[in-house]
Coordinates of all heavy atoms in Angstrom, one line a residue:
N81 N -48.8 -70.1 9.8 CA -48.6 -68.7 10.2 C -49.8 -68.2 11.0 O -49.6 -67.5 12.0 CB -48.5 -67.8 8.9 CG -47.8 -66.5 9.2 OD1 -46.6 -66.5 9.7 ND2 -48.4 -65.4 9.0
R82 N -51.0 -68.6 10.6 CA -52.2 -68.2 11.4 C -52.2 -68.9 12.8 O -52.6 -68.4 13.8 CB -53.5 -68.6 10.6 CG -53.7 -67.6 9.5 CD -54.9 -68.0 8.7 NE -55.2 -67.0 7.6 CZ -56.0 -67.2 6.6 NH1 -56.6 -68.3 6.5 NH2 -56.1 -66.2 5.7
A83 N -51.7 -70.2 12.8 CA -51.7 -71.0 14.0 C -50.8 -70.4 15.1 O -51.1 -70.5 16.3 CB -51.3 -72.4 13.7
I84 N -49.8 -69.7 14.7 CA -48.9 -69.0 15.7 C -49.3 -67.6 15.9 O -48.6 -66.9 16.7 CB -47.4 -69.1 15.3 CG1 -47.1 -68.3 14.0 CG2 -47.0 -70.6 15.1 CD1 -45.6 -68.1 13.8
G85 N -50.3 -67.1 15.3 CA -50.9 -65.8 15.5 C -50.2 -64.7 14.8 O -50.3 -63.5 15.1
S86 N -49.5 -65.0 13.7 CA -48.9 -64.0 12.9 C -49.8 -63.5 11.7 O -50.7 -64.3 11.3 CB -47.6 -64.5 12.3 OG -46.8 -63.5 11.7
G87 N -49.6 -62.3 11.2 CA -50.5 -61.8 10.2 C -50.3 -62.4 8.8 O -49.2 -62.9 8.5
D88 N -51.3 -62.4 8.0 CA -51.3 -63.1 6.7 C -50.3 -62.4 5.8 O -49.8 -63.1 4.8 CB -52.7 -63.0 6.1 CG -53.7 -63.9 6.7 OD1 -53.3 -64.6 7.7 OD2 -54.9 -63.9 6.3
G89 N -49.9 -61.2 6.0 CA -48.9 -60.5 5.1 C -47.5 -60.8 5.5 O -46.6 -60.2 4.9
S90 N -47.2 -61.7 6.4 CA -45.9 -62.0 6.9 C -45.0 -62.4 5.7 O -45.4 -63.2 4.9 CB -45.9 -63.1 7.9 OG -44.6 -63.5 8.2
S91 N -43.8 -62.0 5.6 CA -42.8 -62.4 4.6 C -42.5 -63.9 4.8 O -42.0 -64.5 3.8 CB -41.5 -61.6 4.7 OG -41.8 -60.2 4.4
H92 N -42.7 -64.4 5.9 CA -42.5 -65.9 6.1 C -43.4 -66.7 5.3 O -43.0 -67.7 4.7 CB -42.7 -66.3 7.6 CG -41.6 -65.8 8.5 ND1 -40.5 -66.5 8.8 CD2 -41.5 -64.7 9.3 CE1 -39.7 -65.9 9.7 NE2 -40.4 -64.8 10.0
V93 N -44.6 -66.2 5.0 CA -45.6 -66.9 4.2 C -45.1 -67.0 2.8 O -45.4 -68.0 2.1 CB -47.0 -66.3 4.3 CG1 -48.0 -66.9 3.4 CG2 -47.5 -66.3 5.8
K94 N -44.4 -66.0 2.3 CA -43.9 -66.0 0.9 C -42.6 -66.7 0.8 O -42.1 -66.8 -0.3 CB -43.7 -64.5 0.5 CG -45.0 -63.7 0.6 CD -44.7 -62.2 0.3 CE -45.9 -61.4 0.7 NZ -45.5 -59.9 0.7
G95 N -42.0 -67.1 1.9 CA -40.7 -67.8 1.8 C -39.6 -66.8 1.7 O -38.4 -67.1 1.3
E96 N -39.9 -65.5 2.1 CA -38.9 -64.4 1.9 C -38.2 -64.1 3.2 O -37.4 -63.1 3.2 CB -39.6 -63.2 1.4 CG -40.2 -63.4 0.0 CD -40.9 -62.2 -0.5 OE1 -41.2 -61.2 0.3 OE2 -41.3 -62.1 -1.7
A97 N -38.5 -64.7 4.3 CA -37.9 -64.3 5.6 C -37.5 -65.5 6.5 O -38.0 -66.6 6.3 CB -39.0 -63.5 6.4
A98 N -36.6 -65.2 7.3 CA -36.1 -66.2 8.4 C -35.8 -65.5 9.7 O -35.4 -64.3 9.7 CB -34.9 -67.0 7.9
D99 N -36.1 -66.2 10.7 CA -35.7 -65.7 12.1 C -34.5 -66.6 12.5 O -34.6 -67.8 12.4 CB -36.8 -65.9 13.1 CG -38.0 -65.1 12.8 OD1 -37.9 -64.1 12.0 OD2 -39.1 -65.4 13.3
F100 N -33.4 -66.0 12.9 CA -32.2 -66.8 13.1 C -31.2 -66.2 14.0 O -31.4 -65.0 14.4 CB -31.5 -67.2 11.8 CG -31.1 -66.0 11.0 CD1 -29.8 -65.5 10.9 CD2 -32.0 -65.3 10.2 CE1 -29.4 -64.4 10.2 CE2 -31.7 -64.2 9.4 CZ -30.3 -63.7 9.4
E101 N -30.2 -67.0 14.4 CA -29.1 -66.5 15.3 C -27.8 -67.1 14.8 O -27.8 -68.1 14.2 CB -29.4 -67.0 16.7 CG -30.7 -66.5 17.3 CD -30.9 -67.0 18.7 OE1 -30.2 -66.7 19.6 OE2 -31.8 -67.8 18.8
A102 N -26.7 -66.4 15.1 CA -25.4 -66.9 14.8 C -24.7 -67.1 16.2 O -24.6 -66.1 16.9 CB -24.6 -66.0 13.9
Y103 N -24.3 -68.3 16.5 CA -23.9 -68.6 17.9 C -22.6 -67.9 18.2 O -22.3 -67.6 19.4 CB -23.7 -70.1 18.0 CG -24.9 -70.9 18.0 CD1 -25.0 -72.1 17.4 CD2 -26.1 -70.4 18.5 CE1 -26.1 -72.9 17.3 CE2 -27.3 -71.1 18.5 CZ -27.3 -72.4 17.9 OH -28.5 -73.1 17.8
A104 N -21.8 -67.5 17.3 CA -20.5 -66.9 17.6 C -20.6 -65.4 18.0 O -19.6 -64.8 18.5 CB -19.5 -67.0 16.4
I105 N -21.7 -64.8 17.8 CA -21.9 -63.3 18.1 C -23.2 -63.1 18.7 O -24.1 -63.9 18.6 CB -21.7 -62.5 16.8 CG1 -22.7 -62.8 15.7 CG2 -20.2 -62.6 16.3 CD1 -22.7 -61.9 14.6
S106 N -23.4 -61.9 19.2 CA -24.7 -61.5 19.7 C -25.7 -61.2 18.6 O -25.3 -60.9 17.4 CB -24.6 -60.2 20.6 OG -24.3 -59.1 19.8
N107 N -27.0 -61.2 18.9 CA -28.0 -60.9 17.9 C -27.8 -59.5 17.4 O -28.1 -59.2 16.2 CB -29.4 -61.2 18.4 CG -29.6 -62.7 18.6 OD1 -29.2 -63.5 17.8 ND2 -30.2 -63.0 19.7
A108 N -27.5 -58.6 18.3 CA -27.3 -57.2 17.9 C -26.1 -57.1 16.9 O -26.2 -56.4 15.9 CB -27.0 -56.3 19.1
E109 N -25.0 -57.8 17.1 CA -23.9 -57.8 16.2 C -24.3 -58.4 14.8 O -23.9 -57.9 13.8 CB -22.7 -58.5 16.7 CG -22.1 -57.9 17.9 CD -21.0 -58.7 18.6 OE1 -21.4 -59.9 19.0 OE2 -19.9 -58.3 18.8
L110 N -25.1 -59.4 14.9 CA -25.6 -60.1 13.6 C -26.4 -59.1 12.8 O -26.3 -58.9 11.6 CB -26.4 -61.3 14.0 CG -26.9 -62.1 12.8 CD1 -25.9 -62.5 11.8 CD2 -27.7 -63.3 13.3
A111 N -27.4 -58.4 13.5 CA -28.2 -57.4 12.8 C -27.4 -56.3 12.2 O -27.6 -55.8 11.1 CB -29.3 -56.9 13.8
E112 N -26.4 -55.8 13.0 CA -25.5 -54.8 12.5 C -24.7 -55.2 11.2 O -24.6 -54.5 10.3 CB -24.5 -54.4 13.6 CG -25.0 -53.5 14.7 CD -25.2 -52.1 14.4 OE1 -24.7 -51.6 13.3 OE2 -25.7 -51.4 15.2
Y113 N -24.2 -56.4 11.3 CA -23.5 -57.0 10.1 C -24.4 -57.0 8.9 O -24.0 -56.5 7.8 CB -23.0 -58.4 10.4 CG -22.5 -59.0 9.1 CD1 -21.2 -58.7 8.6 CD2 -23.2 -60.0 8.4 CE1 -20.7 -59.3 7.5 CE2 -22.8 -60.5 7.3 CZ -21.5 -60.2 6.8 OH -21.1 -60.8 5.6
I114 N -25.6 -57.5 9.0 CA -26.5 -57.5 7.9 C -26.8 -56.1 7.4 O -26.8 -55.8 6.2 CB -27.9 -58.2 8.3 CG1 -27.6 -59.7 8.6 CG2 -28.9 -58.1 7.2 CD1 -28.7 -60.4 9.3
K115 N -27.1 -55.2 8.3 CA -27.4 -53.8 8.0 C -26.3 -53.2 7.2 O -26.5 -52.5 6.2 CB -27.7 -53.0 9.2 CG -27.9 -51.5 9.0 CD -28.1 -50.7 10.3 CE -26.9 -50.5 11.1 NZ -26.0 -49.5 10.7
D116 N -25.1 -53.4 7.6 CA -23.9 -52.8 7.0 C -23.3 -53.4 5.8 O -22.6 -52.8 5.0 CB -22.8 -52.6 8.0 CG -23.1 -51.7 9.2 OD1 -24.1 -50.9 9.0 OD2 -22.5 -51.8 10.2
N117 N -23.7 -54.7 5.5 CA -23.0 -55.5 4.5 C -23.9 -56.2 3.4 O -23.3 -56.6 2.4 CB -22.1 -56.5 5.1 CG -21.0 -55.9 6.0 OD1 -20.1 -55.4 5.4 ND2 -21.2 -55.9 7.3
L118 N -25.2 -56.4 3.7 CA -26.0 -57.2 2.8 C -27.2 -56.4 2.3 O -27.6 -55.4 2.9 CB -26.5 -58.4 3.5 CG -25.4 -59.4 4.1 CD1 -26.1 -60.5 4.9 CD2 -24.5 -59.9 3.1
E119 N -27.7 -56.8 1.2 CA -28.9 -56.2 0.6 C -30.1 -57.0 1.2 O -30.1 -58.2 1.3 CB -29.0 -56.3 -0.9 CG -30.2 -55.7 -1.5 CD -30.3 -55.8 -3.0 OE1 -29.3 -56.1 -3.6 OE2 -31.4 -55.5 -3.5
F120 N -31.1 -56.3 1.7 CA -32.2 -56.9 2.4 C -33.5 -56.1 2.3 O -33.4 -54.9 2.0 CB -31.9 -57.2 3.9 CG -31.6 -55.9 4.6 CD1 -32.5 -55.2 5.3 CD2 -30.2 -55.5 4.7 CE1 -32.2 -54.0 5.9 CE2 -29.9 -54.3 5.3 CZ -30.9 -53.5 6.0
D121 N -34.6 -56.7 2.5 CA -35.9 -55.9 2.6 C -36.0 -55.4 4.0 O -36.2 -54.2 4.2 CB -37.0 -56.8 2.2 CG -38.3 -55.9 2.1 OD1 -38.3 -54.9 1.4 OD2 -39.3 -56.3 2.7
Q122 N -36.0 -56.2 5.0 CA -36.1 -55.8 6.4 C -35.1 -56.6 7.2 O -34.9 -57.8 7.0 CB -37.5 -56.2 7.0 CG -38.6 -55.3 6.8 CD -39.8 -55.7 7.6 OE1 -40.1 -56.9 7.8 NE2 -40.5 -54.7 8.1
V123 N -34.5 -55.9 8.2 CA -33.7 -56.6 9.3 C -34.3 -56.1 10.6 O -34.5 -54.9 10.7 CB -32.2 -56.4 9.2 CG1 -31.8 -55.0 9.4 CG2 -31.5 -57.3 10.2
I124 N -34.8 -57.0 11.4 CA -35.4 -56.6 12.7 C -34.7 -57.3 13.8 O -34.6 -58.6 13.8 CB -36.9 -57.0 12.7 CG1 -37.6 -56.4 11.5 CG2 -37.5 -56.5 14.0 CD1 -39.1 -56.9 11.4
L125 N -34.2 -56.6 14.8 CA -33.6 -57.1 16.0 C -34.8 -57.4 16.9 O -35.5 -56.4 17.4 CB -32.6 -56.2 16.6 CG -31.9 -56.6 17.9 CD1 -31.2 -57.9 17.7 CD2 -31.0 -55.5 18.4
E126 N -35.2 -58.6 17.1 CA -36.4 -59.0 17.8 C -36.1 -59.2 19.3 O -35.3 -60.1 19.7 CB -37.0 -60.2 17.2 CG -37.3 -60.1 15.7 CD -38.8 -60.0 15.4 OE1 -39.6 -59.8 16.3 OE2 -39.1 -60.0 14.2
Y127 N -36.7 -58.4 20.1 CA -36.8 -58.5 21.6 C -35.4 -58.6 22.2 O -35.1 -59.6 23.0 CB -37.6 -59.7 22.0 CG -39.0 -59.7 21.3 CD1 -39.2 -60.6 20.2 CD2 -39.9 -58.7 21.6 CE1 -40.5 -60.5 19.6 CE2 -41.1 -58.6 20.9 CZ -41.4 -59.5 19.9 OH -42.6 -59.5 19.2
P128 N -34.5 -57.7 22.0 CA -33.2 -57.7 22.6 C -33.4 -57.5 24.1 O -34.3 -56.9 24.6 CB -32.4 -56.6 22.0 CG -33.5 -55.6 21.6 CD -34.7 -56.5 21.1
G129 N -32.5 -58.1 24.9 CA -32.5 -58.0 26.3 C -31.2 -57.8 26.9 O -30.2 -57.6 26.2
P130 N -31.1 -58.0 28.2 CA -29.8 -57.8 28.9 C -28.7 -58.8 28.5 O -27.5 -58.5 28.4 CB -30.1 -57.9 30.4 CG -31.4 -58.5 30.5 CD -32.1 -58.3 29.2
D131 N -29.1 -60.0 28.1 CA -28.2 -61.0 27.7 C -28.1 -60.9 26.1 O -29.1 -60.8 25.5 CB -28.8 -62.4 28.0 CG -27.9 -63.5 27.7 OD1 -27.3 -63.6 26.6 OD2 -27.7 -64.5 28.5
P132 N -26.9 -60.9 25.6 CA -26.7 -60.7 24.2 C -27.4 -61.8 23.3 O -27.6 -61.7 22.2 CB -25.2 -60.8 24.0 CG -24.6 -60.7 25.3 CD -25.6 -61.0 26.3
R133 N -27.7 -63.0 24.0 CA -28.4 -64.1 23.3 C -29.9 -63.9 23.3 O -30.6 -64.7 22.7 CB -28.0 -65.4 23.9 CG -26.5 -65.7 24.1 CD -25.7 -65.9 22.8 NE -26.4 -66.5 21.7 CZ -26.2 -66.2 20.5 NH1 -25.3 -65.3 20.1 NH2 -26.9 -66.7 19.5
D134 N -30.4 -62.9 24.0 CA -31.9 -62.7 24.1 C -32.4 -62.4 22.7 O -31.7 -61.7 21.9 CB -32.2 -61.6 25.0 CG -32.1 -62.0 26.5 OD1 -31.9 -63.2 26.8 OD2 -32.1 -61.0 27.3
G135 N -33.5 -62.9 22.4 CA -34.2 -62.5 21.1 C -33.6 -63.3 19.9 O -33.0 -64.3 20.1
W136 N -33.8 -62.7 18.7 CA -33.3 -63.2 17.5 C -33.3 -62.1 16.4 O -33.7 -61.0 16.7 CB -34.1 -64.4 17.0 CG -35.6 -64.1 16.8 CD1 -36.1 -63.6 15.6 CD2 -36.6 -64.1 17.7 NE1 -37.4 -63.4 15.8 CE2 -37.8 -63.7 17.0 CE3 -36.7 -64.5 19.1 CZ2 -39.0 -63.6 17.7 CZ3 -38.0 -64.4 19.7 CH2 -39.1 -64.0 19.0
V137 N -32.8 -62.5 15.2 CA -32.8 -61.6 14.1 C -33.8 -62.1 13.1 O -33.8 -63.3 12.7 CB -31.4 -61.4 13.5 CG1 -31.4 -60.6 12.2 CG2 -30.4 -60.8 14.5
H138 N -34.7 -61.2 12.6 CA -35.6 -61.5 11.5 C -35.0 -60.7 10.3 O -34.7 -59.6 10.4 CB -37.0 -60.9 11.8 CG -37.9 -60.9 10.6 ND1 -38.8 -61.9 10.3 CD2 -37.9 -59.9 9.6 CE1 -39.4 -61.5 9.2 NE2 -38.9 -60.4 8.8
C139 N -34.8 -61.5 9.2 CA -34.4 -60.8 8.0 C -35.1 -61.3 6.8 O -35.5 -62.5 6.7 CB -32.9 -61.0 7.8 SG -32.2 -59.9 6.5
S140 N -35.5 -60.4 5.9 CA -36.2 -60.8 4.7 C -35.5 -60.2 3.4 O -34.8 -59.2 3.5 CB -37.7 -60.3 4.7 OG -37.7 -58.9 4.8
Y141 N -35.8 -60.9 2.3 CA -35.3 -60.5 1.0 C -36.4 -60.6 0.0 O -37.0 -61.7 -0.1 CB -34.1 -61.3 0.6 CG -33.4 -60.8 -0.7 CD1 -32.4 -59.9 -0.6 CD2 -33.9 -61.1 -1.9 CE1 -31.8 -59.4 -1.8 CE2 -33.4 -60.6 -3.1 CZ -32.3 -59.8 -3.0 OH -31.7 -59.3 -4.2
N142 N -36.7 -59.5 -0.7 CA -37.8 -59.5 -1.7 C -37.2 -59.4 -3.1 O -36.6 -58.3 -3.4 CB -38.7 -58.4 -1.4 CG -40.0 -58.3 -2.3 OD1 -39.9 -58.9 -3.4 ND2 -41.0 -57.7 -1.8
K143 N -37.4 -60.4 -3.9 CA -36.8 -60.4 -5.2 C -37.4 -59.3 -6.1 O -36.8 -59.0 -7.1 CB -36.9 -61.8 -5.9 CG -38.3 -62.2 -6.1 CD -38.4 -63.7 -6.6 CE -39.8 -64.2 -6.8 NZ -40.4 -64.5 -5.6
M144 N -38.5 -58.7 -5.7 CA -39.1 -57.6 -6.5 C -38.6 -56.3 -6.1 O -39.0 -55.3 -6.7 CB -40.6 -57.7 -6.3 CG -41.3 -59.0 -6.7 SD -40.9 -59.5 -8.4 CE -41.8 -58.3 -9.3
G145 N -37.8 -56.2 -5.1 CA -37.2 -54.9 -4.6 C -37.2 -54.9 -3.1 O -38.0 -55.4 -2.4
N146 N -36.1 -54.3 -2.6 CA -35.9 -54.3 -1.1 C -35.9 -52.9 -0.6 O -35.3 -51.9 -1.2 CB -34.5 -54.9 -0.8 CG -34.5 -56.4 -1.1 OD1 -35.3 -57.1 -0.4 ND2 -33.8 -56.9 -2.0
R147 N -36.5 -52.7 0.6 CA -36.6 -51.4 1.3 C -35.4 -51.1 2.1 O -35.2 -49.9 2.4 CB -37.9 -51.4 2.2 CG -39.2 -51.6 1.5 CD -40.3 -51.8 2.5 NE -40.2 -53.1 3.0 CZ -41.0 -53.6 4.0 NH1 -41.9 -52.8 4.6 NH2 -40.9 -54.8 4.4
G148 N -34.7 -52.0 2.6 CA -33.6 -51.8 3.5 C -34.0 -51.2 4.8 O -33.3 -50.4 5.4
Q149 N -35.2 -51.7 5.3 CA -35.8 -51.2 6.5 C -35.1 -51.9 7.7 O -34.9 -53.1 7.8 CB -37.3 -51.5 6.5 CG -38.0 -51.0 7.7 CD -39.5 -51.2 7.6 OE1 -39.9 -52.3 7.3 NE2 -40.3 -50.2 7.9
V150 N -34.7 -51.0 8.7 CA -34.0 -51.5 9.9 C -34.9 -51.1 11.1 O -35.2 -50.0 11.4 CB -32.6 -50.9 10.0 CG1 -31.9 -51.3 11.3 CG2 -31.8 -51.1 8.8
L151 N -35.3 -52.2 11.9 CA -36.2 -52.0 13.0 C -35.7 -52.8 14.2 O -34.9 -53.8 14.1 CB -37.6 -52.5 12.7 CG -38.3 -51.8 11.5 CD1 -39.5 -52.6 11.1 CD2 -38.6 -50.4 11.8
T152 N -36.2 -52.4 15.4 CA -36.1 -53.3 16.6 C -37.5 -53.5 17.1 O -38.3 -52.6 17.2 CB -35.3 -52.5 17.7 OG1 -34.0 -52.3 17.1 CG2 -35.1 -53.3 18.9
A153 N -37.8 -54.8 17.4 CA -39.1 -55.1 18.0 C -38.9 -55.2 19.5 O -38.0 -55.9 20.0 CB -39.6 -56.5 17.4
V154 N -39.8 -54.6 20.3 CA -39.8 -54.6 21.7 C -41.2 -54.8 22.2 O -42.2 -54.6 21.5 CB -39.3 -53.3 22.3 CG1 -37.8 -53.1 21.9 CG2 -40.1 -52.1 21.9
R155 N -41.4 -55.3 23.5 CA -42.7 -55.4 24.1 C -43.0 -54.1 24.7 O -42.3 -53.5 25.5 CB -42.7 -56.5 25.1 CG -42.5 -57.9 24.6 CD -43.8 -58.6 24.4 NE -43.6 -59.9 23.9 CZ -44.1 -60.4 22.8 NH1 -44.9 -59.6 22.1 NH2 -43.8 -61.6 22.4
N156 N -44.3 -53.6 24.5 CA -44.8 -52.4 25.1 C -46.2 -52.7 25.6 O -47.1 -52.9 24.8 CB -44.8 -51.3 24.0 CG -45.1 -49.9 24.6 OD1 -45.4 -49.8 25.8 ND2 -45.0 -48.9 23.8
N157 N -46.4 -52.8 26.9 CA -47.6 -53.2 27.5 C -48.2 -54.5 26.9 O -49.4 -54.6 26.6 CB -48.7 -52.0 27.3 CG -48.3 -50.8 28.0 OD1 -47.7 -50.8 29.1 ND2 -48.5 -49.6 27.4

Side-chain angles (χ1 to χ4, degrees):
N81 203 59
R82 287 176 176 167
I84 66 166
S86 189
D88 287 1
S90 170
S91 296
H92 288 274
V93 174
K94 300 172 193 170
E96 296 176 349
D99 298 339
F100 58 101
E101 302 175 67
Y103 295 142
I105 60 170
S106 72
N107 292 319
E109 290 170 306
L110 179 58
E112 284 281 353
Y113 170 77
I114 294 167
K115 176 181 75 75
D116 294 341
N117 296 284
L118 302 177
E119 183 181 346
F120 59 89
D121 186 51
Q122 273 188 328
V123 63
I124 305 173
L125 180 59
E126 303 253 8
Y127 312 107
D131 185 317
R133 306 294 328 145
D134 287 346
W136 61 88
V137 173
H138 165 98
C139 193
S140 61
Y141 186 94
N142 184 336
K143 64 185 177 288
M144 302 305 288
N146 291 297
R147 297 172 285 174
Q149 186 176 46
V150 179
L151 301 169
T152 299
V154 297
R155 292 263 183 236
N156 189 355
N157 295 323

